[in-house]
């Protein structure tokens, strides 16, 4: 009954809820003192990384479009990959066993990465573009977010989770 009520609410407000949005894994990323709400997709790599949170990462700039850090473990690897990376999105590259945050849309062919998720506040891209060559980041799970709630308020289910909105830059 609750699902029917949620579906009707989304229909009333003109939003379309997808199963993929309902299966997102909420988390937050702290980058040099700023907190950003994010969500991981429902794939084997993202689930494996989520199960091992929190992570303290020393991230390095690479290629003028991303920051990456080697993970302290090798996650299970999802088969679906892409060479088209988007600003504000999270990726995993098996070549360096790296957790990646992109801050500029890029075509990285011939390399391919697994899409892990997305940071809700795209101002993170401006912050990363202006950041020094190395930054500290902490990736952690978010407690108190019910399954099916979308922590990043994207267009799929334009909904912010109380107490978990990204901080302004």
């Amino acid at each position: 009954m609750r699902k029917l009520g949620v579906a009707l609410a989304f229909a009333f407000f003109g939003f379309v809820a997808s199963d993929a949005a309902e299966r997102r894994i909420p988390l937050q990323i702290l980058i040099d003192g700023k907190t950003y709400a994010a969500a991981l997709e429902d794939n084997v790599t993202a689930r494996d990384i989520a199960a091992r949170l929190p992570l303290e990462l020393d991230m390095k700039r690479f290629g003028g479009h991303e920051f990456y850090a080697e993970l302290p473990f090798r996650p299970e690897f999802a088969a679906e990959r892409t060479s088209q990376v988007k600003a504000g999105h999270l990726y995993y590259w098996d070549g360096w066993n790296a957790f990646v945050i992109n801050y500029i849309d890029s075509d990285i062919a011939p390399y391919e990465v697994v899409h892990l998720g997305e940071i809700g506040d795209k101002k993170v891209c401006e912050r990363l573009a202006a950041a020094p060559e190395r930054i500290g980041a902490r990736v952690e799970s978010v407690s108190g977010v019910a399954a099916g709630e979308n922590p990043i308020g994207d267009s799929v289910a334009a909904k912010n989770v109380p107490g978990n909105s990204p901080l302004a830059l």
Side-chain angles (χ1 to χ4, degrees):
M1 188 64 166
R2 183 179 187 281
K3 279 192 172 187
L4 177 60
V6 171
L8 290 174
F10 280 116
F12 178 76
F13 289 107
F15 299 112
V16 177
S18 72
D19 287 342
E22 290 181 15
R23 290 190 306 259
R24 287 185 164 190
I25 303 163
L27 56 90
Q28 63 184 16
I29 301 176
L30 290 79
I31 300 173
D32 287 341
K34 299 285 184 185
T35 303
Y36 301 93
L40 294 178
E41 297 296 324
D42 185 24
N43 65 49
V44 66
T45 307
R47 285 191 307 270
D48 196 18
I49 290 171
R52 299 169 193 242
L53 296 178
L55 295 171
E56 295 286 342
L57 303 172
D58 176 26
M59 303 195 79
K60 300 168 204 84
R61 183 185 308 275
F62 181 77
H65 62 87
E66 71 183 41
F67 275 86
Y68 77 95
E70 184 176 350
L71 291 172
F73 57 88
R74 190 164 286 281
E76 289 187 55
F77 192 66
E80 189 174 324
R81 296 184 253 174
T82 183
S83 290
Q84 303 300 313
V85 296
K86 297 179 184 176
H89 286 244
L90 310 171
Y91 297 91
Y92 171 74
W93 187 51
D94 62 324
W96 289 344
N97 189 40
F99 180 88
V100 179
I101 304 173
N102 271 78
Y103 59 90
I104 295 175
D105 291 348
S106 298
D107 179 350
I108 61 168
Y111 304 104
E112 292 185 321
V113 292
V114 174
H115 184 253
L116 295 175
E118 177 179 4
I119 298 174
D121 184 350
K122 296 308 178 219
K123 289 182 182 178
V124 71
C125 299
E126 296 169 19
R127 182 165 173 81
L128 292 175
E133 294 300 305
R134 293 178 90 115
I135 59 170
R138 178 177 171 87
V139 182
E140 57 190 27
S141 61
V142 176
S143 60
V145 178
E149 289 191 78
N150 186 345
I152 63 170
D154 67 11
S155 60
V156 174
K159 180 178 182 181
N160 284 322
V161 174
N164 191 35
S165 58
L167 298 177
L169 289 174

